[in-house]
Amino acid sequence: MTQSQALLERGTSDTVEMTMRALVYHGPGRRSWEDRPRPRIEKPTDAVIRVTTSTICGTDLHILKGDVPTVEPGRVLGHEGVGIVEEAGSAVTGFRKGDKVLISCITACGKCDFCAKAMYSHCRNGGWILGHRIDGTQAEFVRIPYADTSLHLLPPDADEEAMVMLSDIFPTAFECGVLNGQVKPGDTVAIVGAGPIGLAALLTAQFYSPAAIVMIDVDDNRLQVASSLGATSTVNSAGGRAAEKVMALTNNEGVDVAIEAVGVPETFELCQSILAPGGRLANVGVHGKPALLRLEKLWAHNVTITTRLVDTAATPMLLKVVQSGRLQPKRLATHRFRLADVMKAYDTFGNAAKERALKVVLRNS
Amino acid sequence: MTQSQALLERGTSDTVEMTMRALVYHGPGRRSWEDRPRPRIEKPTDAVIRVTTSTICGTDLHILKGDVPTVEPGRVLGHEGVGIVEEAGSAVTGFRKGDKVLISCITACGKCDFCAKAMYSHCRNGGWILGHRIDGTQAEFVRIPYADTSLHLLPPDADEEAMVMLSDIFPTAFECGVLNGQVKPGDTVAIVGAGPIGLAALLTAQFYSPAAIVMIDVDDNRLQVASSLGATSTVNSAGGRAAEKVMALTNNEGVDVAIEAVGVPETFELCQSILAPGGRLANVGVHGKPALLRLEKLWAHNVTITTRLVDTAATPMLLKVVQSGRLQPKRLATHRFRLADVMKAYDTFGNAAKERALKVVLRNS
Amino acid sequence: MTQSQALLERGTSDTVEMTMRALVYHGPGRRSWEDRPRPRIEKPTDAVIRVTTSTICGTDLHILKGDVPTVEPGRVLGHEGVGIVEEAGSAVTGFRKGDKVLISCITACGKCDFCAKAMYSHCRNGGWILGHRIDGTQAEFVRIPYADTSLHLLPPDADEEAMVMLSDIFPTAFECGVLNGQVKPGDTVAIVGAGPIGLAALLTAQFYSPAAIVMIDVDDNRLQVASSLGATSTVNSAGGRAAEKVMALTNNEGVDVAIEAVGVPETFELCQSILAPGGRLANVGVHGKPALLRLEKLWAHNVTITTRLVDTAATPMLLKVVQSGRLQPKRLATHRFRLADVMKAYDTFGNAAKERALKVVLRNS
Amino acid sequence: MTQSQALLERGTSDTVEMTMRALVYHGPGRRSWEDRPRPRIEKPTDAVIRVTTSTICGTDLHILKGDVPTVEPGRVLGHEGVGIVEEAGSAVTGFRKGDKVLISCITACGKCDFCAKAMYSHCRNGGWILGHRIDGTQAEFVRIPYADTSLHLLPPDADEEAMVMLSDIFPTAFECGVLNGQVKPGDTVAIVGAGPIGLAALLTAQFYSPAAIVMIDVDDNRLQVASSLGATSTVNSAGGRAAEKVMALTNNEGVDVAIEAVGVPETFELCQSILAPGGRLANVGVHGKPALLRLEKLWAHNVTITTRLVDTAATPMLLKVVQSGRLQPKRLATHRFRLADVMKAYDTFGNAAKERALKVVLRNS
């Protein structure tokens, strides 16, 4: 059944289940674009959103590799999106049908002890569940629990390509990297990893006017992009002498802030080795293995190391900064597809280096 | 030549070198109480202090084991002390002959970029040098460089046993453990290691009224001391199930703050495993080896891990709190010796568990 | 109709309006204990609470004087209380019938921009509305909007006299006075006003181990109470030389923190005049008039002045600290009445100096 | 005796007193450019600087009006300058003859309790003394006490016009206005007063990427300059409806930060009236009179008001940011004079509105 058929049926009977198209995970390495029942309001605090723009995250690729066993086959993927409220539950007071909204990658009940601390990532009733434990946004429609505290109102004319970057990568890069790294005016910052998250960290680190930002990656194309986005120097770490080069760049003092945006032990250990006394190491990467912590050196080095799953507490601020023109998130959008071509989009995004892909935008309009 | 001879000679001629008695390191496992030239003013910012009270630190034992290769044979040990100003250099303005002073274990020039940030531990001209790179306080006299910014004035009637605890262990436990751990009212705190530093962390954590403090050690005697000093529960970790016990005590939520006060990988890893989301792990221990950092779990756990060599920036505050009666540092003093019996004091302190020793006080008066 | 009649009628018909007894404001100087319709669930996020313990606040006296024109005649007064959930709306997930709860004096929707910043005092849908814009807690029953984010669960055996102090005065004193004043270990703190709020500030300031707390009031009885609760010195300001006395007590340095807990220009100006350079003036008092700000002196004095309507964001922490035994809020309860005797309780509380009253507890059980 | 005569005499005899030219205050309204004894090292911590660039501050005009009675007739004015070390005292370790240096307007001993807290403004041995209690920088030479902690090393090729702005106005605007105002990304900031300090606040507020900066002044020329320097909107307050206009610009929400950079009660009161709940009012202006604090409104408005005499603790950071190119302080330099023409420079600066003068640069090279 096609979408138009589904819409047709809506007119005839409520008892007929309406369908939609969605990108569904079927176990490691297997995904398809297929018909699925269209989501409905299940609790009075839910909203159903018609997705107008979505995108693909590196995490979605991890899921497809089988690295995230909590994702069960049959799950609709995707945790980023912009859309239009199709239906709001009876207890939803902040949104109504027709509103344009940004979908947060983190669902927050707004009531638990973690939500009271704005640590929505660990919400006892939510957290990262979209495209993980419940169906996600790479679909024509998505159900958002706790809509009042998990959506953000957008103006009708908001630029959806820019906004969809605020579902996940910008709050992630900013909160886990820049805020936790306590970037300050005059600082020297190193960012390891020039993928979309690392580049979003590069853009948002500039909110605080550091004196220098050194971008480190193995891909010269991405380093060029970094230079165009404000990196004051770049280091290709392919040769294995990245730490040495960073120390030389910093007059052997080390950096004030090192942001890890890759997620492997080697890059985390590189970050440790370039920290100045008093430095902050802010982990953003998703790690699958332990790393060595060089306590025999670091115990006396006055460092702070942070980890964080994004809370999206900074999203309202990011919306203001985007609206002020001081941040252009869409600079990370390199490829555009129709949502119906999401299978192709995955091929491109999964081959990012060759395709020179950063973020691929999926439009459903 | 004895001390009295030295004093005699002082009366007769300035050109005769005066001597004193001092505890001297002669390479791994070798120490002696012996004659040494009495220190003189070398720079106008120096002061020479007649030591009236000193003590021995765990670090001194490490030096004697040969673990600190930057300490050369021939070095007078000791970085803690209270004394009387014997002579002040011409540029010293804050102290004069006869003043009673607390000697900070950290020497601060007061001029460099690190000193400007109150990060005296990394002072470019000082830092931890006493009993390390220059002669220390386990002697009748000691030269203190940058006296104006490395000594603290005490009232003439100050209790020296209490005060000598503020040279190192209280600022260390407070700054590296409690301040870095951001202990707050209502928090649940775990402290791993109930030695002098861990117990000082226990006492100073109470500055901030945590709801619970769990003390963890392998020594039941020390855990009993901890209970008497304010621990709300204790866990003997000898059986290897400490993490499990702490989780049970915290209703499986974990602790807000874990303070590592031992310095081995196992205890650091224990701290990681008991942190609640949003928790802080404050390292105080001196480590000789790397530890595993469980990033595959912690990346999404919103934790903060800190390391720090004590800055002694908190010493003026600690002095005020001691003077107000809200802190009794001498509760950690278990044994007393004449300074001249420092060799015996080392034997006792080196056998702390059997001797039930915490801090051994050395009096020279 | 009595309460028992009302309960009887509940059994017979839902359409019969049930009544309760309540303390009702009838314009300046006029109050009565009278029958009122018993509140019902109006929105799915409401809960109705059977009040088991309540109390009277200084603000209630202000209302009765006519100082708060936003309170309309016919209003049930009271914004403090402990009770049992009688009925919870369909969207309430955190509480159910029979739960013992603490009622926050501040109602928080949990969804608006101010709630997202934990600034519940300025909640766009709540804030201070109880006993102000909607009926309050000096009644047998009260309706609490946004129950999930405006109530706190208590254990069934919680000491209600202690807990009712956490509805308002302890969070107020702590947040507006102690937190905003940034009380730190070793600080010298002055608190102007030894009424219930000032004394609650005195107790919670001790969470942070200041070296000295100077309590200032015109009532020697209250100053004696202050001494018994931890003030290190007291100043009777009746003679008008309070500033001079505080300066003498502080060796002419002034105080680190001055907490204003009265609410008149004179006491606010006293606070200004005793601040050390770098000091913080935390206003807690409810003011009806402007005060002079001595900018000609203060512009170069590096001070911070704060105002705040309580957010009650600290209530969960206060509950933990009370449960740990480190805070005994009931030490402020001086008089006890049956709720049905609330008219008498007002007489006593309204004559606090003569009656030596601090907080009067109203029990309905 | 002319300067060349003085230099000649230096060759012949040390005992002959050398002279220099200097701008001397002779009581209200009276100043002259005249011969003065050239300063010498008085203490081992002093340095004598040959001034190569100086400037005039609004405070100098206040002194000339007689508003600063602590300045005695005969005083050489000026507290801003760049120069070359002519001679360094024996205890000075950070600078030597020939070094190019920035002179801080605040002299810091580096040893007292206030210096230990980086609150150099209240240094017990220094603070603002240059051109106030000791001779200042509008002269060919100046003696700087505590040189090691009161000067900053510059590279030989530093742009002196830019650097001289870092003696006072940039640290003042940044510390007192921007830091104290806690400007954050996305904030709405109002700055009242578009003189040199207000404009420096405008430039440094942008370190933190606020979404909007509203500049308020009565002078349209200055408001145009503000627009060119980054103000997102401007309000001419001449008509007296500034508060109303700001509220309209902020959708009636008020501003997050209001920076007062004028120094009269009216502008301070304007700042109060435009603050959003939770807002910060950072005073920068030098005030001669008290202002009314509208506590009857503000007590419940959750505001923070700060005052501060500049500490210049931020100067090292500002130097880094200037060197990185992210800040161009010389954009405030509108007029240039030879130091010998300082009398004329005062005429221009004293007539700033008509002359469209911001900062006048005095060159002595």
Side-chain angles (χ1 to χ4, degrees):
Chain A
M1 186 171 63
T2 67
Q3 186 185 6
S4 54
Q5 282 177 304
L7 290 170
L8 188 70
E9 287 178 11
R10 185 162 44 162
T12 57
S13 165
D14 269 3
T15 57
V16 175
E17 184 173 78
M18 289 180 291
T19 64
M20 66 170 183
R21 303 287 286 173
L23 190 284
V24 181
Y25 169 70
H26 289 293
R30 299 176 53 209
R31 56 176 153 85
S32 70
W33 176 246
E34 65 186 44
D35 279 350
R36 292 278 301 205
R38 202 176 119 181
R40 295 161 177 260
I41 299 291
E42 297 178 9
K43 292 192 179 177
T45 44
D46 288 347
V48 171
I49 309 300
R50 181 165 57 82
V51 177
T52 50
T53 301
S54 188
T55 179
I56 308 174
C57 181
T59 303
D60 297 322
L61 300 183
H62 278 293
I63 293 170
L64 277 165
K65 282 186 195 145
D67 290 351
V68 190
T70 42
V71 180
E72 295 181 351
R75 177 68 61 235
V76 177
L77 297 186
H79 49 266
E80 299 161 281
V82 168
I84 304 291
V85 176
E86 181 71 16
E87 190 181 355
S90 61
V92 174
T93 57
F95 302 96
R96 53 184 166 187
K97 187 176 165 66
D99 281 345
K100 179 174 281 194
V101 292
L102 171 66
I103 299 168
S104 175
C105 66
I106 295 294
T107 302
C109 77
K111 303 171 174 186
C112 72
D113 54 341
F114 284 115
C115 283
K117 292 185 274 193
M119 207 169 129
Y120 309 125
S121 56
H122 286 72
C123 170
R124 295 193 188 265
N125 305 299
W128 174 42
I129 55 174
L130 273 185
H132 175 205
R133 296 175 184 279
I134 66 172
D135 286 340
T137 58
Q138 291 163 6
E140 290 173 339
F141 294 88
V142 62
R143 181 180 67 90
I144 302 295
Y146 305 107
D148 273 331
T149 41
S150 306
L151 296 173
H152 299 274
L153 191 65
L154 297 179
D157 62 349
D159 179 342
E160 299 197 5
E161 278 197 12
M163 289 306 167
V164 76
M165 304 294 166
L166 270 58
S167 280
D168 179 345
I169 67 164
F170 275 85
T172 294
F174 177 71
E175 294 181 359
C176 308
V178 176
L179 261 194
N180 272 13
Q182 300 171 52
V183 176
K184 283 195 278 289
D187 274 356
T188 298
V189 178
I191 300 173
V192 183
I197 292 280
L199 293 170
L202 169 63
L203 287 170
T204 54
Q206 295 173 66
F207 288 176
Y208 295 100
S209 309
I213 309 179
V214 184
M215 205 79 193
I216 303 162
D217 201 298
V218 294
D219 179 332
D220 279 329
N221 171 52
R222 289 188 159 186
L223 291 175
Q224 275 176 34
V225 174
S227 292
S228 76
L229 295 178
T232 56
S233 50
T234 61
V235 167
N236 189 313
S237 53
R241 293 176 50 241
E244 204 177 312
K245 290 175 190 173
V246 173
M247 293 310 284
L249 278 170
T250 59
N251 202 18
N252 232 33
E253 295 284 338
V255 300
D256 299 299
V257 184
I259 296 176
E260 205 283 345
V262 176
V264 299
E266 292 71 23
T267 47
F268 188 86
E269 289 164 34
L270 168 59
C271 286
Q272 293 177 48
S273 64
I274 58 176
L275 279 181
R280 287 86 65 194
L281 193 176
N283 185 74
V284 190
V286 176
H287 289 261
K289 293 190 280 193
L292 271 188
L293 187 66
R294 298 285 177 188
L295 281 175
E296 77 281 12
K297 174 195 169 193
L298 293 178
W299 76 268
H301 209 58
N302 299 37
V303 301
T304 300
I305 299 171
T306 57
T307 68
R308 185 170 180 177
L309 178 59
V310 63
D311 292 304
T312 67
T315 307
M317 179 280 280
L318 291 168
L319 284 167
K320 282 189 200 169
V321 179
V322 170
Q323 282 156 13
S324 78
R326 287 182 190 265
L327 176 67
Q328 280 90 30
K330 65 192 292 185
R331 296 177 73 175
L332 301 189
T334 51
H335 294 70
R336 279 130 191 115
F337 295 88
R338 290 188 312 128
L339 177 59
D341 294 328
V342 60
M343 293 292 286
K344 235 186 289 175
Y346 262 92
D347 293 337
T348 297
F349 188 63
N351 211 349
K354 180 171 157 257
E355 301 284 352
R356 302 201 163 191
L358 294 168
K359 288 295 277 187
V360 300
V361 175
L362 305 169
R363 296 303 306 265
N364 183 36
S365 53
Chain B
M1 185 168 65
T2 67
Q3 186 186 5
S4 55
Q5 282 177 303
L7 289 170
L8 189 69
E9 286 181 9
R10 184 161 45 159
T12 56
S13 164
D14 268 1
T15 58
V16 174
E17 184 174 79
M18 288 182 291
T19 64
M20 65 170 183
R21 302 289 285 175
L23 191 284
V24 181
Y25 169 71
H26 289 293
R30 298 176 53 209
R31 55 176 156 84
S32 70
W33 176 247
E34 66 185 45
D35 280 351
R36 291 280 299 207
R38 201 175 119 181
R40 298 162 175 260
I41 299 290
E42 296 178 9
K43 293 194 179 174
T45 45
D46 288 347
V48 171
I49 309 300
R50 180 164 58 80
V51 177
T52 51
T53 300
S54 188
T55 179
I56 308 174
C57 182
T59 303
D60 297 322
L61 301 182
H62 277 293
I63 294 170
L64 277 164
K65 283 186 195 145
D67 290 350
V68 189
T70 42
V71 180
E72 295 182 352
R75 177 67 62 236
V76 177
L77 296 186
H79 50 267
E80 298 161 282
V82 168
I84 304 290
V85 176
E86 181 71 18
E87 189 181 355
S90 61
V92 174
T93 57
F95 303 96
R96 53 185 166 186
K97 187 175 165 70
D99 281 345
K100 179 174 281 195
V101 292
L102 171 67
I103 300 167
S104 175
C105 65
I106 295 294
T107 302
C109 76
K111 304 172 174 186
C112 70
D113 53 341
F114 285 114
C115 284
K117 293 185 274 192
M119 207 168 128
Y120 309 125
S121 55
H122 287 73
C123 170
R124 296 193 187 267
N125 305 300
W128 174 43
I129 55 174
L130 274 185
H132 175 203
R133 296 176 184 279
I134 66 172
D135 285 340
T137 59
Q138 291 163 7
E140 291 173 340
F141 293 88
V142 62
R143 180 181 67 89
I144 303 295
Y146 305 107
D148 273 329
T149 39
S150 307
L151 297 172
H152 299 273
L153 190 66
L154 297 179
D157 61 351
D159 179 342
E160 299 195 6
E161 277 196 12
M163 289 306 168
V164 77
M165 304 295 165
L166 270 56
S167 281
D168 179 346
I169 66 162
F170 274 87
T172 294
F174 177 71
E175 294 180 359
C176 308
V178 176
L179 259 195
N180 273 13
Q182 301 171 53
V183 177
K184 283 195 279 289
D187 274 358
T188 297
V189 178
I191 300 173
V192 184
I197 293 280
L199 293 169
L202 169 63
L203 287 169
T204 54
Q206 294 172 68
F207 287 176
Y208 295 100
S209 308
I213 310 179
V214 185
M215 205 80 193
I216 303 163
D217 202 298
V218 295
D219 179 331
D220 278 329
N221 171 52
R222 289 188 160 188
L223 290 175
Q224 276 175 34
V225 175
S227 291
S228 77
L229 295 178
T232 55
S233 50
T234 60
V235 167
N236 189 314
S237 53
R241 292 176 51 241
E244 204 176 314
K245 291 175 188 171
V246 174
M247 293 310 285
L249 279 169
T250 59
N251 201 18
N252 232 33
E253 295 284 337
V255 301
D256 299 300
V257 184
I259 297 176
E260 204 284 343
V262 178
V264 298
E266 292 71 23
T267 48
F268 188 85
E269 289 164 34
L270 169 60
C271 287
Q272 293 177 47
S273 64
I274 58 176
L275 279 181
R280 287 85 67 193
L281 193 176
N283 186 75
V284 190
V286 176
H287 290 262
K289 293 190 281 192
L292 270 189
L293 187 66
R294 299 287 177 184
L295 282 175
E296 77 281 14
K297 174 194 169 193
L298 293 178
W299 76 268
H301 209 59
N302 298 37
V303 301
T304 300
I305 298 171
T306 58
T307 69
R308 186 169 178 176
L309 179 58
V310 63
D311 293 303
T312 66
T315 307
M317 179 280 281
L318 291 167
L319 286 167
K320 282 189 200 169
V321 179
V322 171
Q323 282 156 12
S324 78
R326 288 182 190 264
L327 176 67
Q328 281 90 30
K330 67 191 293 186
R331 297 177 72 175
L332 301 190
T334 51
H335 293 71
R336 280 131 190 112
F337 295 88
R338 291 188 311 126
L339 176 59
D341 293 329
V342 61
M343 293 293 286
K344 233 185 291 175
Y346 262 92
D347 294 338
T348 297
F349 187 64
N351 211 350
K354 181 172 157 256
E355 300 284 353
R356 301 200 164 193
L358 292 170
K359 288 296 278 184
V360 300
V361 174
L362 306 168
R363 296 301 307 263
N364 182 37
S365 53
Chain C
M1 186 169 62
T2 66
Q3 186 185 5
S4 54
Q5 281 176 303
L7 289 170
L8 188 70
E9 286 180 12
R10 186 162 42 163
T12 56
S13 164
D14 268 2
T15 58
V16 174
E17 184 173 79
M18 288 181 290
T19 64
M20 66 170 184
R21 302 288 285 175
L23 192 284
V24 181
Y25 169 71
H26 289 292
R30 299 175 54 208
R31 55 176 155 85
S32 70
W33 176 246
E34 64 185 46
D35 279 352
R36 292 279 302 205
R38 202 176 119 183
R40 297 160 176 261
I41 299 292
E42 297 178 8
K43 291 192 180 177
T45 45
D46 288 346
V48 171
I49 310 299
R50 180 165 57 84
V51 177
T52 51
T53 301
S54 187
T55 179
I56 307 174
C57 181
T59 303
D60 298 323
L61 300 182
H62 278 294
I63 293 170
L64 277 164
K65 283 186 195 147
D67 290 350
V68 189
T70 42
V71 180
E72 294 180 352
R75 177 68 60 235
V76 177
L77 296 186
H79 50 267
E80 298 161 282
V82 168
I84 304 290
V85 176
E86 181 70 17
E87 189 182 355
S90 61
V92 174
T93 58
F95 302 96
R96 54 185 165 185
K97 188 175 165 68
D99 281 345
K100 180 174 280 196
V101 292
L102 171 66
I103 299 167
S104 175
C105 66
I106 295 294
T107 302
C109 76
K111 304 172 175 187
C112 71
D113 54 341
F114 285 114
C115 283
K117 292 185 275 193
M119 207 168 128
Y120 309 125
S121 56
H122 286 72
C123 170
R124 295 192 188 265
N125 304 301
W128 174 42
I129 56 173
L130 274 184
H132 176 204
R133 296 176 184 277
I134 65 171
D135 286 340
T137 59
Q138 291 163 6
E140 290 173 339
F141 294 88
V142 61
R143 182 180 67 90
I144 303 296
Y146 304 107
D148 273 329
T149 41
S150 306
L151 297 172
H152 299 273
L153 190 66
L154 297 179
D157 63 349
D159 179 343
E160 299 196 6
E161 278 197 12
M163 289 306 168
V164 77
M165 305 294 165
L166 270 57
S167 281
D168 179 345
I169 67 164
F170 275 87
T172 294
F174 177 72
E175 295 180 0
C176 308
V178 177
L179 260 195
N180 273 13
Q182 301 172 52
V183 176
K184 283 195 278 288
D187 274 356
T188 297
V189 179
I191 300 172
V192 184
I197 292 281
L199 294 169
L202 169 62
L203 287 169
T204 53
Q206 295 172 67
F207 288 177
Y208 296 99
S209 308
I213 309 180
V214 185
M215 205 79 193
I216 303 162
D217 201 299
V218 295
D219 180 332
D220 278 329
N221 171 53
R222 289 188 160 188
L223 290 175
Q224 277 176 33
V225 175
S227 292
S228 76
L229 296 178
T232 56
S233 49
T234 60
V235 167
N236 190 314
S237 53
R241 293 177 49 242
E244 205 177 311
K245 291 176 188 171
V246 174
M247 293 311 284
L249 279 169
T250 59
N251 202 18
N252 233 33
E253 295 283 339
V255 301
D256 300 300
V257 184
I259 296 176
E260 204 283 345
V262 177
V264 298
E266 292 71 23
T267 47
F268 188 86
E269 289 163 34
L270 168 60
C271 286
Q272 294 177 47
S273 65
I274 58 176
L275 280 181
R280 286 87 64 195
L281 192 176
N283 185 75
V284 190
V286 177
H287 289 262
K289 292 189 280 191
L292 271 188
L293 188 66
R294 298 287 177 185
L295 281 174
E296 76 282 12
K297 173 194 169 193
L298 293 179
W299 76 268
H301 209 57
N302 298 36
V303 301
T304 300
I305 299 171
T306 57
T307 69
R308 185 170 180 177
L309 178 60
V310 62
D311 293 304
T312 67
T315 306
M317 179 280 280
L318 291 167
L319 284 167
K320 283 189 199 168
V321 179
V322 170
Q323 282 155 14
S324 78
R326 288 182 189 265
L327 176 66
Q328 281 89 30
K330 66 192 292 185
R331 297 177 72 175
L332 300 190
T334 52
H335 294 69
R336 280 133 189 111
F337 295 88
R338 290 188 311 128
L339 177 59
D341 293 329
V342 61
M343 293 293 286
K344 234 186 289 176
Y346 263 91
D347 292 338
T348 297
F349 188 64
N351 211 350
K354 181 172 157 256
E355 300 284 352
R356 303 202 163 192
L358 292 170
K359 288 296 277 185
V360 301
V361 174
L362 306 169
R363 296 302 304 262
N364 182 37
S365 53
Chain D
M1 185 170 63
T2 66
Q3 186 186 4
S4 55
Q5 282 178 304
L7 290 169
L8 189 69
E9 286 180 9
R10 184 160 47 161
T12 56
S13 164
D14 267 0
T15 59
V16 175
E17 183 174 80
M18 289 181 290
T19 64
M20 66 170 183
R21 302 288 285 174
L23 190 284
V24 181
Y25 169 71
H26 288 293
R30 299 174 52 209
R31 55 178 155 82
S32 70
W33 176 246
E34 65 185 46
D35 280 351
R36 292 278 302 205
R38 203 177 118 180
R40 296 160 175 262
I41 298 292
E42 297 178 9
K43 293 193 179 175
T45 45
D46 287 347
V48 172
I49 310 299
R50 179 165 58 81
V51 176
T52 51
T53 301
S54 188
T55 178
I56 308 174
C57 181
T59 304
D60 298 322
L61 300 184
H62 277 292
I63 294 170
L64 277 165
K65 283 186 196 146
D67 290 350
V68 189
T70 42
V71 180
E72 295 182 351
R75 178 67 62 234
V76 177
L77 297 185
H79 49 267
E80 299 161 281
V82 168
I84 304 290
V85 176
E86 181 71 18
E87 190 181 354
S90 62
V92 174
T93 56
F95 302 96
R96 54 185 166 188
K97 187 175 165 69
D99 281 346
K100 179 173 281 195
V101 293
L102 170 67
I103 300 167
S104 175
C105 65
I106 296 294
T107 301
C109 75
K111 303 173 175 185
C112 70
D113 54 341
F114 285 115
C115 283
K117 293 185 274 194
M119 207 169 127
Y120 309 125
S121 55
H122 287 73
C123 171
R124 295 191 188 269
N125 305 300
W128 174 44
I129 56 174
L130 274 186
H132 175 204
R133 296 176 184 279
I134 65 172
D135 285 339
T137 58
Q138 291 163 6
E140 291 174 340
F141 293 89
V142 62
R143 180 180 68 88
I144 302 296
Y146 305 108
D148 273 330
T149 39
S150 307
L151 297 172
H152 299 273
L153 190 65
L154 297 179
D157 62 349
D159 178 342
E160 299 196 5
E161 278 197 13
M163 289 305 168
V164 78
M165 304 295 164
L166 269 57
S167 281
D168 180 345
I169 66 163
F170 275 87
T172 294
F174 178 71
E175 294 180 358
C176 308
V178 176
L179 259 195
N180 273 13
Q182 302 171 53
V183 177
K184 283 195 278 287
D187 273 357
T188 297
V189 178
I191 300 173
V192 183
I197 293 280
L199 293 169
L202 169 62
L203 287 169
T204 54
Q206 294 172 68
F207 287 178
Y208 295 99
S209 309
I213 310 179
V214 185
M215 206 81 193
I216 303 162
D217 202 299
V218 295
D219 179 331
D220 279 328
N221 172 52
R222 288 188 161 187
L223 290 176
Q224 276 176 34
V225 174
S227 292
S228 76
L229 296 178
T232 55
S233 49
T234 61
V235 167
N236 190 312
S237 53
R241 292 177 51 241
E244 204 177 313
K245 290 176 189 171
V246 174
M247 293 311 285
L249 279 169
T250 59
N251 201 18
N252 231 35
E253 295 284 338
V255 301
D256 299 300
V257 184
I259 297 176
E260 204 284 343
V262 177
V264 299
E266 292 71 23
T267 48
F268 188 85
E269 289 163 35
L270 169 60
C271 286
Q272 293 177 47
S273 64
I274 58 175
L275 278 181
R280 287 86 66 194
L281 193 177
N283 185 75
V284 190
V286 177
H287 289 261
K289 292 190 281 192
L292 271 188
L293 188 65
R294 298 285 177 185
L295 281 174
E296 76 282 11
K297 174 194 169 192
L298 292 179
W299 76 269
H301 209 58
N302 298 37
V303 301
T304 300
I305 299 171
T306 58
T307 69
R308 185 170 180 176
L309 179 59
V310 64
D311 294 303
T312 66
T315 306
M317 178 279 282
L318 291 168
L319 285 167
K320 282 189 200 168
V321 178
V322 170
Q323 282 156 13
S324 78
R326 288 183 190 264
L327 176 67
Q328 280 90 31
K330 65 192 293 188
R331 297 176 72 175
L332 301 189
T334 52
H335 294 70
R336 280 130 189 113
F337 295 88
R338 291 187 311 128
L339 177 59
D341 293 329
V342 61
M343 293 293 284
K344 233 184 293 175
Y346 262 91
D347 293 338
T348 297
F349 187 65
N351 211 349
K354 181 172 156 254
E355 300 284 352
R356 302 200 164 193
L358 293 169
K359 289 296 277 184
V360 301
V361 174
L362 306 168
R363 296 300 306 262
N364 183 35
S365 53

